[in-house]
Amino acid sequence: MLKFSGSSVVAALLLSVVCGSFFFCEYLIYFPTILKCAWPQLSHARGGEGAEPALRAMVLSDTHLLGAVGGHWFDKLRREWQMERAFQTALWLLKPEIVFILGDIFDEGKWSSQKHWEDDVRRFHRMFRHSTDTELVVLVGNHDIGFHYEMDWFKLQRFEKVFNASSTRIVTKKGVNFLLVNSVALHGDGCPICQSVEKDLIKLSKDLNCSLQKSQSDSKETEKCGGSQTYPPTAPIMLQHYPLYRVSDASCTGEDAAPPEERHLLFREKYDVLSKEASQRLLQWFKPRLILSGHTHSGCEVLHDNKYPEISVPSFSWRNRNNPSFILASVSSSGYSLSKCFLPEESTVIGVYCSAGACLLLLILAHCLWMKGLLQLSLCLLGKHKSL
């Protein structure tokens, strides 16, 4: 019959606490949290029809993979592991057909050397790996190519080469048009990249309008559409990094909104949000049925001109907020429905580790007291034996 000493029992308990807390915090916690999320029903969408097949789209933003200059190794390890486990768990449980990341993929793309850029890209592809059943679409943000005054052709083309696509384009899937906008280049000052992006947007606007006119058999207008590319005849869902112009986050509510002390801070045009002029041009050109944006790291819902809804998607990283989240969208050519999926809170993980640490200390203290009592008992028995 096996016999266990007190020390071996305590050692086993210590190992159980350490391994259990580590496994829970680094792996297991993501499963029950993301299992609470579900794809919204399209029948409850604004303008949706339940019989129409829905595209399952997952939308996240502002991953900010830390670079070689400002990224501490432990910060990188902790936050990148969190995003990798959250993303891989979401893919496995939710099985989206398409995933959009709304810019600021990297934190230091605006100034990283080629060597550091390649290292950042390698880490990104490892973290956000996916099967061929899921399409990954990435938008450009100011941290990827720099703010307008830092942006140049080299940085933009370097980004586009990695993701094998233009930063301004339309992605069509299951009859749904997703308009991807390089919002960093919408400064309106006539810079070469700005002119190129505006030219692309004007062409895409013409193509979409011509597609709508062809579907309505408007022969007079269709005559003007020679050589235009044909898209499904439906208003696009517009995705970009910068939000459209709004004064502040004062009207934003919810657990992922900006902190109360920050909501009334005025936004700066062309820095925090797009300018009024650029915002109005986009709305007039495309008349989107939904706008999804990032950049602020906080959630918000805004209705522009009383008919164009915009959702600001919070950051996906613990580095930017305690309760990261992403959007689940069920989309068809005539409707959409959205739900938000929250990830584990960093404070919860820290609390579990602190509780595990306290348990370890208590176990060690109890073991020390038990050993002390055992030693005193042994000395007492030894003294009695000598007296005999």
Side-chain angles (χ1 to χ4, degrees):
M1 185 176 178
L2 293 175
K3 292 184 178 180
F4 297 95
S5 67
S7 296
S8 62
V9 171
V10 171
L13 287 172
L14 291 174
L15 186 62
S16 298
V17 171
V18 171
C19 294
S21 58
F22 179 82
F23 182 71
F24 176 78
C25 290
E26 305 306 326
Y27 291 92
L28 190 60
I29 193 173
Y30 296 97
F31 287 89
T33 306
I34 295 177
L35 272 171
K36 296 176 184 176
C37 307
W39 293 102
Q41 294 297 315
L42 192 58
S43 57
H44 300 298
R46 283 164 271 191
E49 299 175 5
E52 197 169 358
L55 172 70
R56 300 189 307 274
M58 175 176 162
V59 185
L60 53 118
S61 187
D62 293 87
T63 52
H64 285 271
L65 270 71
L66 295 175
V69 178
H72 187 273
W73 69 268
F74 184 76
D75 200 5
K76 278 187 188 179
L77 177 68
R78 190 78 202 94
R79 273 56 189 268
E80 290 180 11
W81 176 255
Q82 168 257 322
M83 289 191 287
E84 181 176 352
R85 292 317 317 149
F87 185 76
Q88 296 302 324
T89 305
L91 286 191
W92 191 68
L93 293 176
L94 299 170
K95 295 178 173 54
E97 296 170 85
I98 190 167
V99 177
F100 295 98
I101 307 182
L102 305 181
D104 277 4
I105 312 303
F106 308 105
D107 198 56
E108 298 179 2
K110 54 188 177 181
W111 60 51
S112 60
S113 67
Q114 189 60 27
K115 179 179 179 297
H116 293 150
W117 169 261
E118 290 172 358
D119 179 63
D120 292 346
V121 169
R122 177 186 55 77
R123 287 174 15 244
F124 171 82
H125 285 310
R126 185 200 71 234
M127 293 166 56
F128 294 94
R129 61 191 180 277
H130 55 92
S131 69
T132 54
D133 295 332
T134 300
E135 182 179 357
L136 179 65
V137 179
V138 171
L139 283 76
V140 69
N142 56 288
H143 276 265
D144 301 313
I145 60 173
F147 283 97
H148 174 265
Y149 60 89
E150 301 169 303
M151 174 182 63
D152 58 39
W153 283 112
F154 171 76
K155 295 173 189 173
L156 178 60
Q157 290 170 355
R158 181 172 70 172
F159 184 91
E160 292 179 335
K161 183 180 178 181
V162 165
F163 299 106
N164 195 31
S166 169
S167 61
T168 300
R169 67 191 190 278
I170 290 175
V171 172
T172 300
K173 203 169 182 74
K174 280 192 174 180
V176 180
N177 297 317
F178 295 96
L179 171 67
L180 314 184
V181 178
N182 179 355
S183 54
V184 183
L186 295 182
H187 220 62
D189 63 350
C191 76
I193 297 178
C194 302
Q195 289 180 342
S196 175
V197 168
E198 287 202 19
K199 183 180 176 181
D200 290 342
L201 287 171
I202 290 170
K203 183 182 183 307
L204 291 173
S205 173
K206 179 186 174 184
D207 291 345
L208 281 171
N209 287 329
C210 285
S211 298
L212 286 168
Q213 290 160 9
K214 288 175 184 176
S215 70
Q216 297 165 359
S217 300
D218 191 335
S219 56
K220 291 183 180 180
E221 292 296 330
T222 303
E223 291 174 0
K224 303 175 184 178
C225 294
S228 64
Q229 185 170 343
T230 302
Y231 294 99
T234 179
I237 292 177
M238 189 164 73
L239 301 100
Q240 58 192 43
H241 182 63
Y242 282 116
L244 295 182
Y245 175 79
R246 62 178 184 257
V247 175
S248 68
D249 271 352
S251 62
C252 304
T253 57
E255 58 186 299
D256 59 352
E261 64 274 12
E262 295 179 11
R263 291 181 197 175
H264 294 276
L265 297 178
L266 299 181
F267 283 146
R268 293 163 289 180
E269 292 185 62
K270 306 179 183 180
Y271 189 86
D272 299 310
V273 293
L274 288 180
S275 66
K276 291 180 183 177
E277 293 76 14
S279 301
Q280 284 303 311
R281 282 202 304 272
L282 287 173
L283 294 177
Q284 290 168 7
W285 285 344
F286 297 101
K287 298 177 174 56
R289 52 179 166 146
L290 174 67
I291 304 113
L292 294 168
S293 60
H295 189 58
T296 64
H297 300 172
S298 300
C300 190
E301 294 187 28
V302 182
L303 188 64
H304 299 279
D305 298 340
N306 293 317
K307 55 182 174 180
Y308 301 117
E310 178 181 9
I311 307 293
S312 288
V313 182
S315 174
F316 193 67
S317 172
W318 275 344
R319 192 168 192 264
N320 298 318
R321 59 182 308 110
N322 180 51
N323 60 339
S325 61
F326 57 89
I327 297 289
L328 293 176
S330 298
V331 192
S332 73
S333 59
S334 60
Y336 66 87
S337 185
L338 308 178
S339 66
K340 190 165 289 183
C341 184
F342 284 91
L343 302 180
E345 295 185 0
E346 186 176 31
S347 57
T348 300
V349 173
I350 293 172
V352 171
Y353 276 129
C354 289
S355 299
C359 288
L360 289 176
L361 289 174
L362 288 173
L363 282 171
I364 293 170
L365 180 61
H367 180 62
C368 290
L369 291 173
W370 179 79
M371 290 295 291
K372 182 181 178 182
L374 188 63
L375 180 62
Q376 288 175 344
L377 179 62
S378 299
L379 291 174
C380 181
L381 291 173
L382 183 62
K384 288 181 178 180
H385 178 73
K386 285 183 178 180
S387 64
L388 291 173

